[in-house]
Amino acid sequence: MHTEDEINKIHAEFISKLERHYGKYDSNTNKFESTSNSKIARDLFYSDSQFSRLINNTASEGELTRALRNVQRLLDVNELRGKVKKLGEKPDDSLFSNKKYLFGIGLLLLGCILTTYMITRSNETIDQTEEPSEETRYEMLRWGFENNYVKPYVRLKELPEDCYYPCYKYQGKWKLKEEYKIPFFRERNGFHYVAKEVVMYARCMDERDDRGESFEGYEYQKHEIWYDKREVPIDSFLTKDANPKLISSYMNSNFEDDPNYVKIAYVHTFFKTEFSIDGKEVQRSGKAIGRDIEFVPQDVLEKEAVSAKLLNELKSETNSIAKNLLDDFSKPITCNPTMAPNVDFNQIKEGDVLSFDCQFSTGRFLVDYNKSYVFTDQYISTFCR
């Protein structure tokens, strides 16, 4: 009885906190007056069925406790969002109109959203098939750079009189130019990683006193994990010379057309990259903020010629990637510097490419690969004069 009372108490507090944001709750219909349950579920990064268990008080005590913390984070996020909006409406001579201060709060807000999302996803079981949409994930990052309140970019009028501020023309949206694939080792051979999509927002790191020679990018990455039924060893895909590279037949292969390969999951990653401009060269480093796994639906996987036991093993091994956020398997050990798209940074433009040759460590192998960004939406298209 004690446990039941505790659960009821947590559920009541859960409802109470939701009412603060979504209006009065009708216990007869299990609905809130201003927002649908599906919308609330998306706000909290739950599936409809998960939220239904929470709202109907059929979830476990642990689930309710985590949900309570998530609602509190949602309230905190909205409080910060309100502060950002008010600061954005203050006159230019206000202390709080300082762009760095606004963006600092904006990053804190984005961090709260990502933390809520990642903690929620990290507590899901590996058999969960109802996932937030790709749009929901991307919207979290897009909001931090495409809104009327947070001002992340250095503006033209803020540049020094001599116009030496190389990063200003790199600001804006970049995307992955071409997909790439990498074989990687977990507890068995057979896993392959295919980079499908990257959207990166780049901004000058004006908080650094380096005359605009560094900028950072916040990336949303969508990648795929495939399994080779033959479990061909990794070195079979590498050249045999002193510095092995991925063979061309592997790079040009299409897993979708090969019955030996089974798509297991999608990997959604938030990634922070730092770039430094050194004359004609640009250097890259980075780390993951967080990631989660979206498994291919069970009914689709069951159609593949793979046993249920093996599927569960593959899911378990794949899920460990998302659970261990500190082990960033998408981060390269090294990336060689690349040549700047133009020696004159004032001439950087949409359509330019930043192409990095990198190395990835998997097991005892170092695998070379190329990651290229193409500039799709430039914040400042004019020149500093």
Side-chain angles (χ1 to χ4, degrees), residues 33-44:
E33 62 181 0
S34 63
T35 310
S36 70
N37 286 352
S38 290
K39 173 62 169 59
I40 299 173
R42 289 195 299 273
D43 288 349
L44 293 172

Side-chain angles (χ1 to χ4, degrees), residues 20-22 39 42-45 68-86 105-118 120 139-140 143-144 149-150:
R20 288 168 55 185
H21 187 65
Y22 297 108
K39 173 62 169 59
R42 289 195 299 273
D43 288 349
L44 293 172
F45 309 114
L68 188 61
R69 291 198 295 264
N70 290 339
V71 175
Q72 184 58 55
R73 291 188 191 96
L74 176 69
L75 295 175
D76 293 341
V77 163
N78 280 282
E79 182 181 355
L80 277 172
R81 195 192 300 265
K83 289 181 179 179
V84 169
K85 183 176 180 179
K86 288 180 181 179
I105 293 182
L107 284 183
L108 179 61
L109 173 57
L110 181 62
C112 287
I113 296 172
L114 295 181
T115 298
T116 299
Y117 172 72
M118 290 300 169
T120 301
E139 284 296 318
M140 289 186 287
W143 187 90
Y149 312 116
V150 180

Side-chain angles (χ1 to χ4, degrees), residues 20 111 114 141-142 151 165 212 217 223 304 310 384:
R20 288 168 55 185
L114 295 181
L141 180 60
R142 190 172 75 89
K151 308 296 183 184
Y165 212 77
H223 301 153
E304 302 289 346
L310 178 56
C384 179

Side-chain angles (χ1 to χ4, degrees), residues 4-144:
E4 184 177 345
D5 290 342
E6 285 296 317
I7 291 177
N8 289 336
K9 182 179 178 180
I10 296 171
H11 181 261
E13 187 176 358
F14 174 66
I15 297 296
S16 177
K17 287 184 180 293
L18 286 174
E19 284 185 316
R20 288 168 55 185
H21 187 65
Y22 297 108
K24 188 173 178 59
Y25 174 70
D26 186 340
S27 58
N28 294 320
T29 61
N30 288 334
K31 294 181 179 180
F32 293 83
E33 62 181 0
S34 63
T35 310
S36 70
N37 286 352
S38 290
K39 173 62 169 59
I40 299 173
R42 289 195 299 273
D43 288 349
L44 293 172
F45 309 114
Y46 287 118
S47 67
D48 287 345
S49 62
Q50 288 172 307
F51 186 71
S52 177
R53 291 200 307 273
L54 293 167
I55 208 71
N56 288 298
N57 200 14
T58 58
S60 68
E61 182 177 357
E63 288 176 304
L64 279 168
T65 300
R66 290 192 294 270
L68 188 61
R69 291 198 295 264
N70 290 339
V71 175
Q72 184 58 55
R73 291 188 191 96
L74 176 69
L75 295 175
D76 293 341
V77 163
N78 280 282
E79 182 181 355
L80 277 172
R81 195 192 300 265
K83 289 181 179 179
V84 169
K85 183 176 180 179
K86 288 180 181 179
L87 287 172
E89 294 170 350
K90 285 185 176 290
D92 289 341
D93 59 354
S94 167
L95 170 66
F96 296 103
S97 67
N98 183 282
K99 179 174 67 68
K100 294 180 184 178
Y101 185 77
L102 269 174
F103 186 65
I105 293 182
L107 284 183
L108 179 61
L109 173 57
L110 181 62
C112 287
I113 296 172
L114 295 181
T115 298
T116 299
Y117 172 72
M118 290 300 169
I119 289 177
T120 301
R121 300 308 305 155
S122 69
N123 286 317
E124 302 307 322
T125 65
I126 63 172
D127 292 321
Q128 181 64 41
T129 57
E130 294 182 79
E131 298 285 337
S133 68
E134 178 181 333
E135 180 180 357
T136 300
R137 295 174 170 97
Y138 170 56
E139 284 296 318
M140 289 186 287
L141 180 60
R142 190 172 75 89
W143 187 90

Side-chain angles (χ1 to χ4, degrees), residues 188-191 227-234 310 314:
R188 52 160 41 96
N189 286 308
F191 284 102
Y227 169 68
D228 178 6
K229 301 173 189 176
R230 302 164 299 176
E231 297 191 357
V232 176
I234 291 176
L310 178 56
L314 296 176

